[in-house]
Every structure is written in C-alpha cells, then in structure tokens.
Amino acid sequence: MTAHIDSAAPDPIDATPPATCLRAPGDLIAAIPAMLGFMPAKSLVVAVLAADPDRPGGAAVEMVTRMDLDNPGRCATRILVDQVAGLCVRHRAVAALAVIVDDRATVPTRKHSGQRAGKHRDLIAALEHRLDAEAVPLAGAWAVREIGPDLPWWTVAGPWSRGLQPDPAASMVTLRHVLEGRPLRASRRELTEELASDPVLREATVPAIPVAVAAAAQRLARVVRHGSPQVHLRVEVCRVLRYLERVESGARLTAAEVAEVGVALRDKALRDIMFALAPGPRADGAEALWLQLVRALPDPDRAAAAALLAYCAYARGDGPLAGVALEVALAADPDHRMAQLLESGLRLGVPPGRLSSLAESGREMAAELGIHLGPEPR
C-alpha cells in the first residue's frame, strides 16, 4: 500500500476535562490543523494520549498522526490500524482519539445513517479492535466533512452525539502555534507544490553541473598537491557556508551557485556536517537554502538537499514538511540511506530529540576542521 502518513509531536496539550484546552470534541477537531500544520482532507487523524506526569489521572496529546483514507480494502485497513497501534505502543499511550475528515460523507439524520457511514464505522471498529489488543482504549471517534467554523461533527462510535465546530482560527492551540511562528498551510498539496521541481530553474541548473564538477575536481587536485583531503573538506564547507550567508541575507542563488552547492553535497562528510545547522540559530537559513536546491537541482542530486530539508523540518517538529521532503528525496534517489532512515523514524513516531545525534556529530566534525557552528541548542 502507498499512503501519505503525516505525524506531528505538538507540545503537550491537556486533553482531560474539565480543566483543559480540549473540553469537547469540537475543541479537538478545531485544533487538528494547528497540530498537523495543515488542513487535512480525506484523512483519518488519530491523537495519541499519554499520561500527564504533572496531573495524576490526566492525559495530554503526545502526538497526532494523519493517514490517507483513499486506500480501500481489508489489507490497506489492516496496515493502517497496525501503524496507529504501533505509534500508540511506542508512545506508551493511555488512550487514543480518532477523527475522520471526509468530504464525501453526509451528516446522519434519524432517517438516514449518512453517506459512507458504514465505511467509517468499519474503519473505527477495526482500529478499536486493534488498539484493544495493546490495551489502549479508543476514547472517542468522530467524523466531519471538513474542518471549519460552525460546521457539523458527529460521533462514529459510542453514544450518539453531534455538534458544531468552533472556529479553528480562534483555537488556543492555533494561537499558540501562530505566536511560536509555526506555519499553518491550507492543505497538504500546498506542501507538495512548495517542494515541486521548478522546470525553469532545473533547466538553467543542469548545464551548470558539469562545470561545477570540473571546478571542484581542480580545487581538490590543487589541495592534494599542497595539503590534504581534510583541507579540501574545510574549503568546501566554508564555500557552502558562504552561500548560506547569502541566502540568510535574502538572496536567491544563481544556477551556477546552486550547481556548486549541489555538487558539494555529493561528499558524504560535507553532508553530515550540514546536519549541524538544525536545530539552531542558522536553521531557518539552512532550510531556505535546501529548499532552493530542491526546486532547482535535477535527480538524483536533489535527494541530498531534500533529506537535509527534511531533517531541518523534523528537528523543529514540522512532521508534514519533513514527510513531503522525504518523499521528494526518495523519489529522486530511492537508495538514499539517510532519507530512508529519517522516513522510518518519522513513520514510527520517533521524537525529534532522538535524532539530535546527527546534529551533534556534524558539529564535532566541523570543529575538527576548525569551523565553529555554534553551541548545541538548549
């Protein structure tokens, strides 16, 4: 089965009434776009609840995951619920909440159960049965056609109830994310378009790549005659950092400059050092640099830039952007090892902090070359 899976680990959000941000199903539904980073469509969204150590008996949203609904069949359903159950186990969930977003559904009435009601009930029943095997209760399941102010929600399982959603823009979760500078996108498609290859930029970059390869080979030959490969690596890292400074100042790189950075990223040691830029004070600039490369480089070179972009996004908790960037990386180079590892970590719900060793290793490698990339972020 091929399916888009997006996970995000928001700061803990209290989900235990009455003293809570999420007092009712509508509050949870309104908070979903902010927690995911975009407005979901045709999706199963599951909030994984973990015990709140500060409140005995309380629970908080540990992570939110979204999966496509457009994968019919029992096999696809089994894979989907297994993935959700795996996330719940890894995050030691005390409960889970499910929301189906499906614009093909209709609101149930006393005389009609509503379009797609049977499919939704079957999916939730399968999810509940699978979670029961892990002793994780499904504490609630609701459906909506879409998420928006004053739009209806209704229960899919359990005691029947329905209501109207509050305005997602007025959600306290949304407000907090906006104040923290986290992006809120209209849809997942907006992400894919943001990272899509630009044919004009790519056409300009392709002929510049052989020139960049030849120039890099000449620099290496000169250094080997008069120094060592470590000196060459230091020179190339400093070259990339100079281009980063230009991007940080708001510049767009020329095709020749994009080609130079793309060729430099073919060096695994240099790529590993670049992981040190996120998280940290230069992470935003690095993300902008990698995005320029992703849009302008041809395959397979764009894979390295996309993997670095994915790590930047992953490190700051933007799972959806990380997921799309990894799709780009693996489409450009299916054998890209780091993209494979990051994709596996994202799919399994590994917290961003668990990947900090990549940045730490990059800082240490840079320090050995006499390059200071800043202290470890706290």
Side-chain angles (χ1 to χ4, degrees), residues 197-209:
S197 180
D198 185 314
V200 175
L201 296 176
R202 187 179 64 246
E203 185 176 351
T205 303
V206 167
I209 289 177

Side-chain angles (χ1 to χ4, degrees), residues 116 118 153 158 162 205 217 228 237 257:
R116 299 188 68 81
W153 60 262
R162 60 183 294 179
T205 303
S228 71
V237 170
E257 292 167 339

Side-chain angles (χ1 to χ4, degrees), residues 253-265:
L253 300 186
T254 66
E257 292 167 339
V258 167
E260 277 199 41
V261 180
V263 169
L265 291 178

Side-chain angles (χ1 to χ4, degrees), residues 28-89:
L28 170 66
I29 294 166
I32 284 173
M35 291 190 286
L36 277 178
F38 64 91
M39 190 70 72
K42 291 185 176 65
S43 303
L44 170 67
V45 181
V46 178
V48 177
L49 306 185
D52 186 347
D54 298 325
R55 294 184 58 203
V61 177
E62 176 75 9
M63 74 169 300
V64 177
T65 188
R66 184 212 70 90
M67 301 182 185
D68 287 342
L69 287 181
D70 285 338
N71 288 281
R74 292 182 180 180
C75 180
T77 298
R78 185 175 66 252
I79 293 172
L80 187 150
V81 299
D82 282 346
Q83 290 170 331
V84 173
L87 288 171
C88 288
V89 170

